[in-house]
Amino acid sequence: MAEGQMEEAASSSAAASGTPFQLQFDKPIPFQIKLAEWNPEKDLLAMVTDDSKVLLHRFNWQRLWTISPGKCITSICWSPDGKIVALGTEDGLVLLHDVENGKMLRSIKSHDVAIVCLNWAEDEPLSRTDKEDLLSYEDRTTRFFPPAPVMPRIGGLNSGDTGLADENEEAIQAFSSASCQWFNILCTGDKDGCICFSIFGIFPVGKININKVPIHVQSSGKRTSYRLQDVSISKVSLSRNLHQLVLLCSGKLINTDNLSLSYDISVGVHCLHLDTSIFSNRKNELYQVSQQASSIQDLVEVVRASISMMSKQWSNAMNLFHEKFSALPSLLTAHGMESSSEDEFMSLLFGTHTSPALHQFLVSSLGEAGLKRIAKTIESAGRELRIVVSEHLQPAVEIISFRLAELRGLARWRSRFQNIGLDEKLMDGVTERVGMLVVQVERFSRVAATVLYLFQNFFSWVLKCVKILLSEPTDQVPSTNSELVVIFLKFLLDKDPIKQLLETDQIFEWDIDTTKHVEHLVAFGGFTDTQFLERSLAKQFMELEESLKEAFLMPFTTISSQIHCQGLLPLYPVTSSDASPSTSTPASIAFYKQDKDSQHSASSYSSTDYICFKIPDGSLNLRNFVAVIKDFCNSRSTSSTPSLSGFLLHIPVEYECVDLSLYKDNQVVLLLSGKSSSESAGRSWMVMLQTENLSFSQLSRTFPANYYNLQELEVLELQLDTDYGKVRSIPHALSTPLAVSASRGVACVFSSRRHALVYILDEDEDEDEDEDSEME
């Protein structure tokens, strides 16, 4: 089509359906964009460049921030409230970043391979009932505790890799305290066929490996079982009522009832319908458990960081102490003496004599300045230990204990919480372990206070000795509490109780009387662990972590086992030479609320699924086709519900569909770019079709005679001067991605000359909205 004919067609469209998409602006962008996603609540566009930088722009193209996560970004999506942007990486991480400043809030290891798709769905108000309002969750920790502690940061020391970004404490607290949030679930799919589910994006609640999911198909009164192999997920979409999940994946379809019927043609792209009604049916229970569990996991990281920080701080101080005092044994050897450091100090304490080696050590090697430096370092370390314990470690452990006690109470409500995997016995065990950790923290505090007091008394005595020796040679010994000095020399000169309590491999021995006393306390009830005194603080924390992992794994496995495949729809075959065809082929999945005049009652929430995808050229002997299918999830129901239907849309031969997206009100937005070999090279079109105006034909689901039935659908020829949609001519060659915002009624496209073009899709949108308030 010539350029003049294009403008004529665009004018014809404008006359038929009003002014087509208005160009808001055309801005150069110095990057090649591979992913783009509009914020669902604000006029913000997040983009990922080819080198995995993440950019955030306002609607007026003002850049707010740029971050470089240091990993290859393979997928992106927003939280339902628009406050968090989620990034999937090539190595299986989910990175959650704050919209305000781009800082990372969480780094979660969900997968072992690249995460290729993300979908963050929120329970919609229409699917909620009055009964659920009565079951709303109240976080009672605020009644009894001050705000939860944050990561300790002292003297520039790093608390270690915890998966939390401790430099963004306020945002983390707001993100973790989700009591005001509606129930939502983040779905992540990887290239090896696994889908993970996380409540609020942070608490893992289920995982499905599509390679292992049995697929049962009912056809001609006979049930046949299938399984997919070598699966790679490309798209996932959870319905707005959380009842069902639709996914697109590539893989080989195997007839497990008769393996001989599995031919090469079974390798293709398939659509699956998973029953996720467990999320909707038990969302109140899952809400409560995930709130408590995610907060506990945050506090566990605070405990871990506190122990790590204390270990580093104390180790640095003791290294200086041992470095200085290690000179005394060397001097004793040099003077031909066989006594130990303890013997020399004992002799000095009780006034027998001061050996030449000890005198040289105190006056020359150590000196008054050196001793004061050591004493100040130990005192400073002790002060920091007290701060970490009182402001971070102890409050974190106490709040963990409170939250676990609440979970333990919920676990006893078996009729509601047993079927989501909250096990009463496991919760009893983890509650006892956190109780023992509370005891260990108190024990550590007392031991640390005693050790620091003994150090202080020892340094004070040695300093007096040094001053006397420096004034004049004498055997005079300063007065002091000799008993405390003896205790220090016996137990602290070559030992380190604080270090031992912070090590995981330390075992403490206790006398028989203490052991019997503990056994007598067990008889009073409350706990059964009689070996806790043998463990260190770090070891007790390790056991708590293992117990927590086991307790929270039970809901994870229980929920996972209740997610089943409800339907299979093979879409089109692919050749074995095609590498991950489903990840590179444009596709979109969406759920739309059914009309009020539908057959469902007004009190029930129901939605219709739409699946739109481009069929690769040559597959099914078709070229330049886009398919639209609806009611896949509903097609298994009774005969009174809508049946599976769709249509094939033939794109004009001089163009190719480079990307597409389902839009609000059952609309489809297509991005067409002129083929390089045609007269339309360098020209593109953006087309928005109202599917309700198009003719849907029923699609049969006959197995196993023909796996792929899309040829049954009616073929519609796309006319660029069509009067059942909107068409806009774009005088540039376009490339992926196409970013469409249903909430704002805009679309952003990217030209091959590295320009971003933003179009207004709905002319009746409120364009006078104050953009300066968008970040509030």
Side-chain angles (χ1 to χ4, degrees):
M1 182 182 293
E3 183 175 345
Q5 292 175 306
M6 280 187 170
E7 298 297 336
E8 183 180 353
S11 300
S12 174
S13 173
S17 57
T19 304
F21 320 120
Q22 295 181 0
L23 178 63
Q24 184 69 13
F25 58 78
D26 179 348
K27 298 286 186 179
I29 183 168
F31 305 99
Q32 185 68 36
I33 302 300
K34 65 178 181 180
L35 300 169
E37 190 82 13
W38 285 99
N39 188 299
E41 295 293 330
K42 309 173 189 293
D43 287 336
L44 301 172
L45 178 66
M47 296 169 286
V48 179
T49 65
D50 270 354
D51 58 352
S52 289
K53 289 185 177 67
V54 184
L55 319 174
L56 185 70
H57 281 246
R58 287 183 185 269
F59 181 71
N60 61 8
W61 214 244
Q62 173 192 1
R63 188 182 301 181
L64 297 179
W65 48 255
T66 301
I67 59 172
S68 298
K71 297 180 178 296
C72 180
I73 306 302
T74 52
S75 52
I76 184 172
C77 80
W78 287 94
S79 62
D81 60 5
K83 296 180 179 179
I84 308 294
V85 59
L87 306 172
T89 70
E90 192 174 38
D91 55 358
L93 286 173
V94 175
L95 309 179
L96 304 180
H97 289 262
D98 186 3
V99 66
E100 295 290 338
N101 47 34
K103 290 185 177 179
M104 188 179 73
L105 303 176
R106 292 292 181 99
S107 173
I108 304 168
K109 183 67 173 177
S110 301
H111 299 261
D112 296 324
V113 295
I115 300 174
V116 294
C117 56
L118 300 168
N119 175 243
W120 206 329
E122 182 177 61
D123 175 38
E124 286 218 331
L126 291 174
S127 66
R128 303 173 193 137
T129 64
D130 294 337
K131 180 182 178 181
E132 290 167 4
D133 293 335
L134 301 175
L135 299 173
S136 60
Y137 169 73
E138 177 193 4
D139 186 356
R140 299 194 301 167
T141 56
T142 56
R143 298 187 190 179
F144 310 106
F145 298 95
V150 297
M151 295 289 181
R153 290 180 294 174
I154 298 174
L157 286 180
N158 193 328
S159 57
D161 183 11
T162 62
L164 297 176
D166 53 4
E167 74 276 4
N168 205 18
E169 294 169 354
E170 293 183 1
I172 292 173
Q173 291 300 319
F175 177 47
S176 300
S177 179
S179 56
C180 60
Q181 293 183 13
W182 292 115
F183 186 70
N184 60 70
I185 295 178
L186 174 63
C187 307
T188 59
D190 68 33
K191 68 175 186 178
D192 279 356
C194 291
I195 301 175
C196 293
F197 304 90
S198 301
I199 298 177
F200 306 125
I202 55 178
F203 180 63
V205 74
K207 184 174 184 178
I208 296 296
N209 187 343
I210 300 300
N211 293 281
K212 300 180 179 179
V213 173
I215 304 170
H216 304 297
V217 176
Q218 197 78 20
S219 179
S220 303
K222 181 181 178 182
R223 173 171 153 166
T224 307
S225 297
Y226 294 87
R227 195 179 295 273
L228 282 168
Q229 289 184 351
D230 303 324
V231 177
S232 179
I233 308 293
S234 61
K235 290 286 182 183
V236 292
S237 182
L238 190 61
S239 65
R240 300 180 184 184
N241 60 1
L242 310 181
H243 266 281
Q244 46 213 7
L245 177 83
V246 174
L247 66 95
L248 297 180
C249 65
S250 60
K252 182 176 182 178
L253 190 62
I254 303 296
N255 185 330
T256 56
D257 292 338
N258 191 343
L259 296 178
S260 63
L261 294 179
S262 300
Y263 304 105
D264 289 340
I265 195 174
S266 62
V267 179
V269 172
H270 310 274
C271 186
L272 293 181
H273 165 210
L274 300 184
D275 178 6
T276 57
S277 57
I278 182 66
F279 295 136
S280 178
N281 297 338
R282 294 296 177 181
K283 60 189 172 187
N284 289 290
E285 293 86 344
L286 290 171
Y287 188 99
Q288 295 184 57
V289 172
S290 60
Q291 284 278 39
Q292 296 282 16
S294 58
S295 178
I296 288 170
Q297 289 174 339
D298 284 351
L299 293 169
V300 164
E301 297 301 332
V302 173
V303 175
R304 186 199 317 282
S306 298
I307 293 176
S308 174
M309 181 73 71
M310 292 191 301
S311 179
K312 292 177 183 178
Q313 194 81 0
W314 185 251
S315 177
N316 291 343
M318 291 305 294
N319 286 340
L320 178 62
F321 172 77
H322 291 300
E323 177 186 344
K324 293 297 184 181
F325 275 78
S326 63
L328 180 55
S330 301
L331 289 173
L332 292 173
T333 303
H335 283 78
M337 302 178 64
E338 297 182 355
S339 57
S340 64
S341 299
E342 178 185 340
D343 295 335
E344 291 297 313
F345 280 113
M346 284 290 191
S347 298
L348 178 62
L349 176 64
F350 293 109
T352 54
H353 70 282
T354 303
S355 68
L358 182 59
H359 187 281
Q360 181 181 349
F361 169 72
L362 294 176
V363 174
S364 303
S365 301
L366 186 61
E368 183 177 350
L371 183 61
K372 287 182 177 179
R373 180 190 171 198
I374 299 173
K376 183 178 180 180
T377 301
I378 296 292
E379 180 184 4
S380 176
R383 182 170 57 253
E384 303 297 358
L385 289 184
R386 287 192 292 269
I387 291 174
V388 173
V389 170
S390 62
E391 297 183 6
H392 302 276
L393 178 62
Q394 189 167 10
V397 172
E398 289 175 352
I399 297 176
I400 290 174
S401 178
F402 179 84
R403 290 190 177 279
L404 285 174
E406 292 214 320
L407 283 178
R408 183 187 185 189
L410 293 178
R412 296 185 176 184
W413 195 353
R414 299 183 185 90
S415 62
R416 291 185 61 85
F417 289 89
Q418 192 172 38
N419 57 3
I420 66 165
L422 194 62
D423 187 86
E424 182 179 355
K425 184 177 180 180
L426 292 176
M427 293 310 305
D428 287 344
V430 74
T431 303
E432 176 170 326
R433 281 176 174 78
V434 75
M436 294 298 101
L437 185 60
V438 172
V439 174
Q440 292 283 8
V441 171
E442 177 64 25
R443 173 197 190 187
F444 177 83
S445 299
R446 297 190 179 192
V447 169
T450 302
V451 168
L452 292 169
Y453 179 67
L454 292 174
F455 262 109
Q456 181 183 8
N457 184 79
F458 175 74
F459 288 141
S460 176
W461 171 69
V462 174
L463 182 60
K464 293 177 182 179
C465 293
V466 171
K467 289 181 178 180
I468 292 175
L469 293 173
L470 288 173
S471 62
E472 59 182 21
T474 178
D475 288 336
Q476 179 183 356
V477 178
S479 60
T480 186
N481 189 331
S482 58
E483 182 178 352
L484 295 179
V485 176
V486 170
I487 293 174
F488 178 89
L489 295 173
K490 289 284 187 182
F491 297 103
L492 296 181
L493 190 60
D494 298 320
K495 299 177 183 179
D496 191 348
I498 292 179
K499 179 183 177 182
Q500 291 174 336
L501 287 172
L502 296 174
E503 292 178 341
T504 57
D505 56 353
Q506 188 67 39
I507 299 177
F508 299 95
E509 296 182 358
W510 295 92
D511 56 75
I512 298 178
D513 291 339
T514 302
T515 302
K516 289 183 177 179
H517 183 62
V518 171
E519 292 175 351
H520 290 158
L521 291 176
V522 172
F524 288 98
F527 71 101
T528 60
D529 186 1
T530 61
Q531 310 297 321
F532 71 93
L533 288 177
E534 298 178 2
R535 294 188 288 272
S536 64
L537 171 65
K539 179 65 175 178
Q540 188 68 55
F541 172 65
M542 181 185 292
E543 293 198 358
L544 172 64
E545 276 196 296
E546 294 173 354
S547 185
L548 281 171
K549 183 178 180 180
E550 182 182 10
F552 291 154
L553 182 62
M554 185 62 71
F556 182 87
T557 55
T558 302
I559 296 298
S560 300
S561 66
Q562 298 185 54
I563 299 175
H564 307 287
C565 180
Q566 292 289 91
L568 165 71
L569 178 63
L571 299 180
Y572 54 83
V574 295
T575 61
S576 57
S577 60
D578 293 336
S580 301
S582 59
T583 58
S584 58
T585 303
S588 182
I589 306 172
F591 288 86
Y592 298 110
K593 178 189 173 185
Q594 287 188 349
D595 296 333
K596 294 181 180 179
D597 57 353
S598 66
Q599 301 170 19
H600 297 267
S601 65
S603 62
S604 64
Y605 179 90
S606 184
S607 61
T608 300
D609 57 279
Y610 276 72
I611 307 161
C612 182
F613 55 93
K614 176 184 176 182
I615 301 174
D617 288 347
S619 183
L620 299 175
N621 296 319
L622 299 174
R623 289 191 175 275
N624 237 20
F625 275 86
V626 169
V628 178
I629 298 171
K630 70 174 182 177
D631 287 315
F632 172 49
C633 294
N634 296 328
S635 60
R636 294 184 75 260
S637 305
T638 63
S639 57
S640 62
T641 61
S643 59
L644 180 65
S645 60
F647 62 84
L648 295 177
L649 189 65
H650 187 213
I651 308 299
V653 294
E654 63 268 30
Y655 295 95
E656 63 175 337
C657 178
V658 295
D659 207 349
L660 54 84
S661 177
L662 287 162
Y663 188 54
K664 60 184 179 182
D665 300 327
N666 310 337
Q667 294 167 322
V668 179
V669 178
L670 304 175
L671 199 59
L672 309 181
S673 186
K675 295 180 179 179
S676 58
S677 59
S678 69
E679 296 180 358
S680 301
R683 305 287 295 184
S684 301
W685 293 82
M686 185 161 59
V687 181
M688 184 166 70
L689 303 176
Q690 181 67 45
T691 60
E692 290 181 349
N693 298 333
L694 302 177
S695 176
F696 282 80
S697 56
Q698 291 193 2
L699 181 63
S700 65
R701 307 181 67 175
T702 305
F703 286 88
N706 184 8
Y707 284 117
Y708 306 105
N709 298 325
L710 291 186
Q711 297 99 322
E712 299 176 0
L713 297 177
E714 182 176 348
V715 175
L716 306 177
E717 294 290 338
L718 176 62
Q719 302 294 332
L720 295 180
D721 58 352
T722 179
D723 59 355
Y724 50 70
K726 296 180 180 180
V727 178
R728 173 71 188 229
S729 173
I730 303 173
H732 312 292
L734 299 181
S735 60
T736 58
L738 164 67
V740 175
S741 171
S743 62
R744 299 301 180 186
V746 296
C748 182
V749 299
F750 300 89
S751 70
S752 56
R753 61 189 181 100
R754 291 194 175 182
H755 273 234
L757 300 89
V758 173
Y759 291 91
I760 304 297
L761 298 182
D762 299 326
E763 286 73 22
D764 58 346
E765 289 290 321
D766 183 10
E767 298 178 0
D768 297 326
E769 188 173 350
D770 184 9
E771 293 178 353
D772 293 334
S773 65
E774 289 306 308
M775 292 298 293
E776 294 180 359

